[in-house]
Amino acid sequence: VLCYNCCMIDSAVVRDDIREQLRISLYAKRVSVTALAKELGMSRTNLSRMLNGQHEGRFDVWEKIAAKVGKRFELADDAQGDTERG
């Protein structure tokens, strides 16, 4: 599970962390960028740019990449239960 506190997110750090976790998982499972890009119906170049942080990519694509390595995204409430900001 790729889980982050939904109220305390530094989005750039989260994106980099998630990207790195997925890259490591893809490597560990020996999933090539070329094969994954073909499976996702996108160009190898665009997928590579997403994985290297040069392109944001759509969330649905990130979900598919996560699913490929047996992970999913989940939002968690604030640890103190303070989910309302104002």
Side-chain angles (χ1 to χ4, degrees):
V1 175
L2 301 166
C3 181
Y4 290 90
N5 179 311
C6 62
C7 297
M8 302 294 289
I9 292 177
D10 176 343
S11 60
V13 171
V14 170
R15 282 192 307 267
D16 290 344
D17 185 46
I18 290 172
R19 183 178 290 115
E20 184 64 17
Q21 286 183 52
L22 291 175
R23 286 176 53 198
I24 289 168
S25 295
L26 288 167
Y27 180 80
K29 292 188 179 272
R30 297 179 180 223
V31 177
S32 75
V33 174
T34 302
L36 182 57
K38 186 174 182 177
E39 184 176 322
L40 295 173
M42 61 189 302
S43 75
R44 183 202 182 288
T45 302
N46 284 342
L47 179 57
S48 181
R49 290 181 66 222
M50 281 179 62
L51 294 171
N52 289 315
Q54 298 168 349
H55 178 65
E56 289 286 320
R58 295 187 334 249
F59 185 72
D60 65 311
V61 175
W62 285 113
E63 284 182 308
K64 290 175 186 176
I65 294 168
K68 181 69 178 177
V69 295
K71 298 187 182 291
R72 71 183 195 297
F73 290 96
E74 181 178 296
L75 293 177
D77 290 332
D78 188 341
Q80 291 82 29
D82 179 19
T83 58
E84 294 183 27
R85 303 279 181 206

